[in-house]
């Protein structure tokens, strides 16, 4: 039976992330909390950090099992063979051998389900360890995605968020490869035409993979929501080149411009990294001004942190930590202002809001098609329903 993390359970699974700063420290803290609460429980660590640093993780007192990128899907089999007295076991193979796509989706919500359709990445951004942790780009087939969507829809969900590590690179087949067997635009068209579920969102897409035809399609789509999340990482072409990103700021600006021309109501989220090596004051200012200028709705701001085995480690000059944090604060403030402006621009408009089931102290939450968060006094009849709502 599934339990909340704060409850006593027989097995705890911690899914680690290599993007999180201090993944190691956070992991240790969580294991200590588990040991205090349930000393008899088995503790399993999975995810990117488990793939990248299995030995370090196995050495954390209280850890019983470390599962790498391929083995995490066999968790039940491994658990059957374990006891709490065993020494920590590592089941992980070289990432080059992680070469099969395994579909999965979230199960903790009824309203909105995250469906993985792609995994891994063939890019080599200079700050990123994800290709080392997740392997090469590989994907589900369109036919299989349609089957999964049909089964999720049968369970009653109204919205599916398509996810992947490099989602726009969808279509390289179950084992990856050099060429695309299918492509992301074909998937989007097939899903839209299937009419299987009310709503789809695209979790995140690289700007160079967000084609103009895809933007036009979403603008006229019945099921794809006017909401894009597009990593930018820097508004300076010099830094983008050092990051080995595959676009320049002008392309980004063009994509945002096209989205807003075709869908003035669209929500656009942006990932940005501050404090990358070589990001001088003027180059940071260039990023901040660029973000100020373009018509985006919110930011996810990441503070650059050094990662083993990445090219960025060799780049100079390094930005002092306190300056990285100051820049993070400046852009988070900008994000707050942008979100406020975006929401205010829609006040008085009627938009379709999908309400989620949970009753949070007498209140419920939902998201509009263009991702404006709405709260309302709880009404059982609105659970998992799409309601016309005046913003
Ligand atoms: S596109 Fe770049 S940042 Fe994203 S997963 Fe691939 S290598 Fe990492």
């Amino acid at each position: 039976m599934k339990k909340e993390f704060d409850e006593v359970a027989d097995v705890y699974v911690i899914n680690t992330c290599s993007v999180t700063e201090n993944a190691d420290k956070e992991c240790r803290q969580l294991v200590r909390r588990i040991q205090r609460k349930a000393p008899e429980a088995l503790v399993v660590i999975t995810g990117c950090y488990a793939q990248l640093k299995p030995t370090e993780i196995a050495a954390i007192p209280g850890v019983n099992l470390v599962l790498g990128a391929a083995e995490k899907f066999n968790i039940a089999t491994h658990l059957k063979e374990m006891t709490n007295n065993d020494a920590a076991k590592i089941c992980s193979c070289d990432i080059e051998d992680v070469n099969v796509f395994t579909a999965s989706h979230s199960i903790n919500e009824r309203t909105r389900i995250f469906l993985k359709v792609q995994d891994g990445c063939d890019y080599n951004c200079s700050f990123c360890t994800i290709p080392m942790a997740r392997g090469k780009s590989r994907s589900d087939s369109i036919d299989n995605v349609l089957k999964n969507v049909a089964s999720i829809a049968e369970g009653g969900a109204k919205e599916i968020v398509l996810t992947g590590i490099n989602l726009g690179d969808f279509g390289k087949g179950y084992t990856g490869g050099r060429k695309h067997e299918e492509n992301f635009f074909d998937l989007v068209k097939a899903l839209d035409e299937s009419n299987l579920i009310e709503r789809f969102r695209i979790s995140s897409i690289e700007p160079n993979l967000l084609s103009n035809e895809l933007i036009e399609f979403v603008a006229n789509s019945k099921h794809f929501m006017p909401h894009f999340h597009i990593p930018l990482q820097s508004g300076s072409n010099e830094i983008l080149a050092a990051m080995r990103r595959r676009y320049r700021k002008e392309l980004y600006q063009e994509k945002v411009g096209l989205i807003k021309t075709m869908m003035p109501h669209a929500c656009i989220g942006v990932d940005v990294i501050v404090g990358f090596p070589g990001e001088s004051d003027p180059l940071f200012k260039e990023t901040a001004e660029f973000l100020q200028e373009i018509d985006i709705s919110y930011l996810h701001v990441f503070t650059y942190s050094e990662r083993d085995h990445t090219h960025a480690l060799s780049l100079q000059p390094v930005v002092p930590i306190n300056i990285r944090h100051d820049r993070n604060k400046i852009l988070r403030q900008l994000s707050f202002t942008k979100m406020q402006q975006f929401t205010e621009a829609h006040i008085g408009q009627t938009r379709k809001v999908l309400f989620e089931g949970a009753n949070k102290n007498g209140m419920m939450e939902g998201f509009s098609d263009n991702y404006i968060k709405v709260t309302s006094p709880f009404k059982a009849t609105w659970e998992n329903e799409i309601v016309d709502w005046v913003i």
Side-chain angles (χ1 to χ4, degrees), residues 92-335:
S92 168
C93 57
D94 278 355
I95 199 63
E96 286 77 26
D97 299 328
V98 179
N99 50 17
V100 178
F101 177 80
T102 311
S104 61
H105 63 76
S106 58
I107 50 167
N108 48 347
E109 280 185 61
R110 196 165 76 100
T111 306
R112 189 185 325 138
I113 303 287
F114 293 82
L115 174 64
K116 184 174 87 173
V117 300
Q118 186 276 340
D119 205 347
C121 183
D122 291 341
Y123 287 16
N124 61 342
C125 302
S126 62
F127 53 84
C128 183
T129 53
I130 289 177
M132 295 175 234
R134 302 297 287 252
K136 60 183 172 176
S137 177
R138 52 210 193 272
S139 324
D140 211 341
S141 66
I142 294 178
D143 277 353
N144 205 48
V145 175
L146 286 167
K147 279 184 204 140
N148 286 335
V149 167
S151 116
I152 290 169
E154 262 173 40
K158 295 270 167 62
E159 182 172 304
I160 289 180
V161 184
L162 302 176
T163 70
I165 295 291
N166 189 346
L167 188 56
D169 197 37
F170 174 91
K172 285 184 169 166
Y174 287 111
T175 55
R178 291 167 78 85
K179 286 203 193 120
H180 286 89
E181 294 168 12
E182 298 175 317
N183 68 41
F184 187 60
F185 186 41
D186 293 335
L187 173 70
V188 167
K189 281 189 291 189
L191 289 172
D192 199 60
E193 281 155 19
S194 73
N195 284 323
L196 285 166
I197 201 159
E198 299 270 349
R199 289 177 160 198
F200 287 104
R201 287 184 202 274
I202 299 167
S203 63
S204 174
I205 185 163
E206 291 288 301
N208 50 305
L209 296 175
L210 178 57
S211 64
N212 293 353
E213 59 181 358
L214 179 60
I215 296 172
E216 280 169 39
F217 187 85
V218 171
N220 296 303
S221 156
K222 290 194 295 285
H223 300 294
F224 275 81
M225 297 297 103
H227 174 204
F228 295 85
H229 192 93
I230 320 168
L232 169 68
Q233 311 307 18
S234 173
S236 144
N237 281 343
E238 196 178 319
I239 298 293
L240 286 175
M243 288 176 161
R244 296 181 169 165
R245 301 287 291 165
R246 299 193 180 193
Y247 54 87
R248 296 296 172 256
K249 63 196 279 191
E250 291 74 18
L251 179 99
Y252 196 96
Q253 191 160 21
E254 194 189 304
K255 298 293 169 185
V256 170
L258 182 62
I259 293 171
K260 295 304 273 195
T261 307
M262 305 208 73
M263 294 164 269
H265 55 287
C267 179
I268 303 178
V270 183
D271 286 342
V272 61
I273 297 173
V274 290
F276 189 79
E279 190 189 59
S280 58
D281 281 342
L283 293 187
F284 171 68
K285 198 162 165 256
E286 194 186 334
T287 293
E289 284 174 0
F290 181 70
L291 288 166
Q292 179 72 54
E293 215 175 280
I294 57 176
D295 195 358
I296 48 118
S297 324
Y298 64 91
L299 303 168
H300 285 170
V301 188
F302 299 89
T303 302
Y304 171 76
S305 69
E306 285 74 9
R307 295 279 185 264
D308 289 348
H309 312 298
T310 54
H311 173 70
L313 269 185
S314 64
L315 301 179
Q316 296 288 336
V318 165
V319 178
I321 301 282
N322 60 325
I323 296 184
R324 297 184 206 179
H325 289 312
D326 291 348
R327 289 177 184 172
N328 185 305
K329 218 165 143 191
I330 293 169
L331 291 194
R332 270 189 292 130
Q333 181 55 47
L334 177 62
S335 177

